[in-house]
Amino acid sequence: MNSRSWEELEALAESHFPSFNHIHCSALVCRLPKLVTPSQLPPAAKARFARFLGRVSDLVSLRLPTFDPRAVANVLWGVSKLGYSPAPTLLNKFLFEAYVHMDKFNAQELANLSWALATLAAMGNRPVPAWLAKFTAAAVRRVAFLKPQELAHMTWALSRLCPRPSSHKHAQPQPSPSGPASAPAGAPASPSPARAEGPGPLPELVTALAASAASRVEHFSCGELVMTLDALHRLDPAAAVRLLRPALPHLLRVHAAAMSPQDLALLWVLLGKCAIVPALRLGKELDLDQVLSQTQPTTSAPSSAGSAPEASDREGPHEPLASADGRSSGGRRVGRGAVDPARLGRQHLYALLDVTERSLHGFSPQGLCLALVAWARLHMQPSPAVAAAVCARFQRVLPAAASFQAVSVSLWAMAQLRFRPEPQAVQLLVSCAALQAPMAKPHELLVLLWALQKLRWQPPPAIAQRLGARLGEVAGELRPQGLQLAVSAFTLFGEPIPAAVAEGAVAAAKASMVSAQLLAEGTAKAKGRGRGKGRGKADASAVKAAPTALPPLSALTPRSVVRFFSTLAGVAVPRPATAEARAASLQSLRRMRWRLLGHGECPSRRRGVCATLEAAVSGHLHTLSLDAMIAMLGSMARMRLSPSHAFMSQVFSRLDDSIKELPAWHAGRLLSALGRLGVRPPASWLTQLLDLIEPQYDSLSHRQLLGVLRGLVQLRYRPTAEWMQSYFDECLRRLDEWPASNVDIFLTSLHGLGMRLRGAPCQQLQLVVYRKRRELQDEATPEDRADVEEVHEAERAQQAKWRRARWTQPRGAAATGPSLGAAKPGAVRGLALGGRDRAWGSKTGAAGKAGLLLPRGRGVRGASKWSSARDEVRRILRSQEHLRQSLCKVCEDLSACRVTWR
């Protein structure tokens, strides 16, 4: 059949249909896919082709009993290649004929048959397990005769025909041999090794296919080898790793220039999935544990269920994992040296990275996502040039195919790889995702929020509001870890925390708090405080008071519980960039703490929170890092909790074991937290801690250095004179760099320790305080000072008027003066005077009229600016006076503190 178009073939077939046998039918159906693509035909031609294919189907059904195995395989291959599926009745006949003659199929026919059935299975026509069992039994005996292309197609077909284990139902979808790579289905999750579960000797067949491919790697083309690796990973990850060891070096050595972006993406996915499965031992070959111990990462990927990564207010410096030549940052080779040819090393990963860098211009958005996720799993550190190329490629291709899933996973991987993309690039990616925020899934939202925190990028208010609105809708589906992550993210953004998220976090804390308190009370009652009849009542009440349902925080690890309450306390949360954003974040956190702990003194609620923390952490303190320990103590101090003596004994015992590992910058936070808790550790412990800090002053920032002194004051502990002298000298060296507020805290803390200074230190402090007061004075402009004087005059005149009206009105008449309580509607709220809020004036009308405490000519719009200027001048004056008083408390040889400051 040498026809050049399907019309010619149709005319030829119409004239010879009655004389066609099984060979002619097979040749006719196999020739059609080479001449026509039905999906590209116009509607009229497509209808004509469908009628012609129907007549061919009738002829095949008539001649099917005479078909040999080759004809059965070829006809099914041709029909599936056209994109059609036989009718169920006809397909069952084909499968019956193949089942009966299965032992007569050769290797090529079995490969064609498996490919055809896998394609038809995608249309909903899947063979029964009994048929597949006989097919696999026949294929095992023919593996040695398969050509590389046939072996690749059979492996791919088996990966589609045999269902995956139930543990992989949420696994990432993989493409067909000709289809593009697809993006991950959510936050990257660690796959578990599972062998193929199929009918008959399928594991034996998969093992034989992998062994045959490994022995003939040099005969495979690049596409065939990548296809085989991908299919084997779906069937049996261990078999894929056995083939990957000889295949990856061969690909890099022979087919480096022939690998397409799709092949590279699939290779990275395979490496990333297999390397994190301990049972496959590929991670040890790639030195993942060694590289991970060098970098000591403090974060982990959030899972799709909503677990949040650990938040820390300070992270140590991160060093590069390895350079492109396979060397680590310290110059020591990683994965080099005496290389075992049967093992993979990091040199292969970086060689593959070099090939990927040259092909980045052809990657699709999904391929870039897959590659980034694999790099993050493999703990790789691409060069700055690769990072810039990846970000540039995203900016060009992602907006056209943007999805919330792709953006969230990509930013997660960038954060894990410690990329620092340009703010404009992040703005573009997040803007694309924000358009699809109403359709985002909960775990995708959490992945995006986690990535934005790690990238320290603050979205515009409009985008933050869209994300917050979606979070409010799905807040009921979030677990406590997800709620904590959302609270931490919006604290960094400086935006109000969504009401549903805040309520969910507070409700989870309250439920666990009540459960822990009831459990503690029930335990105390169960021990019995009396004897006889009273003991029985106590036992009964204890059983009745025991919680019937598990609290929301009961399933969390101690580390997660500490992180949850630290976020609510505002201790280990990221700080926004601007002062306005910080004020908004602090206000949102205060409201959450007020809902949790109540207004004013609520001992029962505080006892419940303390019992929850102690119940979750007691006995597990060794699992907490030093960061988590200090965050826990700071949270208790912030929420004014009172931990038990037994619990603090466990804390000091844990800190004793690791005090030598404590960084100097942690000392101020630790001492301050212990001081606010009112818990004083043993003097020997404090001495050891201070001795550890002394040689590390240079590594402390100004705030951390000052925190050490404040912690000692709160603990009421006076260190030795030698230690205090070295500390005082270090502070004197930095005083000129400190703002006036820090100088004031320093002087007040010295007074709190009972220090009195004479001579040269007093003179140096006097000069510093003089300069700081001058700086404060220069902050207030003459216009601001005039405004303050003007408002003072208006206030004095108004108060005099009220006093005259009060003394001249008749006895018993209604009072006409203003109320000093809550402000009435329309009243102008005054500023804090002496620490109290006072409402001045009565009902006010238009701006500038009587009753408004504004200078003449000022309107309502100018009131806010004028009031803030007045408040700033008053703050400056108070700071100046407080500085003078603090200096006079410390220095004894100032002449009765009567120093004139001009």
Side-chain angles (χ1 to χ4, degrees), residues 298 308-313 315 453-454 484 488 563 567 572-574 631:
T298 58
E310 182 180 8
S312 176
D313 58 344
E315 293 182 1
Q453 286 187 81
K454 292 304 167 186
Q484 177 269 330
S488 178
R563 190 187 307 121
T567 302
V573 294

Side-chain angles (χ1 to χ4, degrees), residues 287-300:
D287 296 328
L288 294 190
D289 296 337
Q290 181 180 357
V291 173
L292 188 62
S293 64
Q294 291 175 3
T295 56
Q296 296 180 355
T298 58
T299 59
S300 59

Side-chain angles (χ1 to χ4, degrees), residues 10 42 64 95 104 149 176 194 228 263 337 645 683 696 708 789 897:
E10 179 189 22
L64 185 58
L95 294 177
K104 300 179 181 180
Q149 183 181 14
S176 64
T228 306
D263 295 336
H645 178 74
Q696 305 183 44
V708 175
E789 293 299 330
C897 295

Side-chain angles (χ1 to χ4, degrees), residues 119-455:
T119 306
L120 295 176
M123 306 178 191
N125 299 316
R126 187 181 298 274
V128 297
W131 191 97
L132 288 174
K134 189 167 185 178
F135 172 82
T136 54
V140 168
R141 298 190 294 269
R142 303 288 191 274
V143 169
F145 304 99
L146 290 172
K147 298 177 181 179
Q149 183 181 14
E150 297 166 356
L151 190 148
H153 285 174
M154 179 178 286
T155 310
W156 175 85
L158 288 174
S159 68
R160 266 63 186 174
L161 286 172
C162 301
R164 301 202 60 169
S166 58
S167 61
H168 293 280
K169 63 181 179 180
H170 297 299
Q172 302 173 7
Q174 295 296 331
S176 64
S178 59
S182 58
S190 300
S192 57
R195 296 178 60 86
E197 293 181 2
L202 180 60
E204 182 183 354
L205 176 59
V206 171
T207 303
L209 290 171
S212 178
S215 63
R216 295 182 290 166
V217 165
E218 63 277 3
H219 300 293
F220 281 76
S221 67
C222 177
E224 293 167 356
L225 199 52
V226 173
M227 182 195 305
T228 306
L229 286 169
D230 175 55
L232 284 176
H233 178 261
R234 291 174 58 88
L235 292 167
D236 184 5
V241 170
R242 287 195 295 270
L243 177 59
L244 184 64
R245 290 189 178 101
L248 183 58
H250 172 74
L251 288 172
L252 294 172
R253 185 175 60 255
V254 179
H255 301 292
M259 282 192 282
S260 65
Q262 178 190 349
D263 295 336
L264 291 169
L266 289 176
L267 280 176
W268 282 119
V269 170
L270 178 62
L271 287 167
K273 287 183 177 179
C274 294
I276 59 177
V277 179
L280 300 180
R281 304 182 65 83
L282 184 62
K284 292 185 177 180
E285 296 181 20
L286 299 177
D287 296 328
L288 294 190
D289 296 337
Q290 181 180 357
V291 173
L292 188 62
S293 64
Q294 291 175 3
T295 56
Q296 296 180 355
T298 58
T299 59
S300 59
S303 69
S304 59
S307 61
E310 182 180 8
S312 176
D313 58 344
R314 176 185 173 102
E315 293 182 1
H318 295 285
E319 299 179 358
L321 302 184
S323 58
D325 62 350
R327 291 179 178 270
S328 65
S329 58
R332 183 172 52 83
R333 291 180 180 271
V334 179
R336 295 245 182 180
V339 179
D340 185 358
R343 290 171 56 90
L344 292 177
R346 295 196 71 81
Q347 74 275 9
H348 296 114
L349 297 182
Y350 283 100
L352 185 62
L353 183 61
D354 293 339
V355 178
T356 305
E357 181 181 4
R358 295 192 291 269
S359 304
L360 279 176
H361 61 278
F363 269 72
S364 64
Q366 293 82 4
L368 285 174
C369 291
L370 293 173
L372 283 174
V373 171
W375 296 347
R377 285 174 168 174
L378 294 168
H379 307 296
M380 299 187 66
Q381 186 62 43
S383 64
V386 175
V390 169
C391 295
R393 182 62 180 168
F394 263 119
Q395 287 182 268
R396 285 194 295 271
V397 301
L398 189 56
S403 66
F404 199 96
Q405 178 193 51
V407 172
S408 61
V409 173
S410 302
L411 290 177
W412 172 87
M414 289 182 184
Q416 285 281 42
L417 293 169
R418 296 185 289 279
F419 282 5
R420 289 297 176 261
E422 296 293 332
Q424 297 82 0
V426 182
Q427 172 84 22
L428 176 62
L429 296 177
V430 180
S431 299
C432 295
L435 298 176
Q436 305 182 36
M439 302 298 294
K441 299 178 181 178
H443 62 269
E444 296 172 352
L445 281 167
L446 296 179
V447 169
L448 179 62
L449 293 178
W450 183 89
L452 293 180
Q453 286 187 81
K454 292 304 167 186
L455 293 174

Side-chain angles (χ1 to χ4, degrees), residues 830-849:
L831 294 176
L833 298 176
R836 298 178 181 177
D837 290 339
R838 309 174 76 179
W840 299 101
S842 56
K843 292 184 179 180
T844 57
K849 293 186 178 181

Side-chain angles (χ1 to χ4, degrees), residues 798 801 841-854:
Q798 189 69 21
K801 179 180 178 181
S842 56
K843 292 184 179 180
T844 57
K849 293 186 178 181
L852 271 176
L853 299 181
L854 297 176

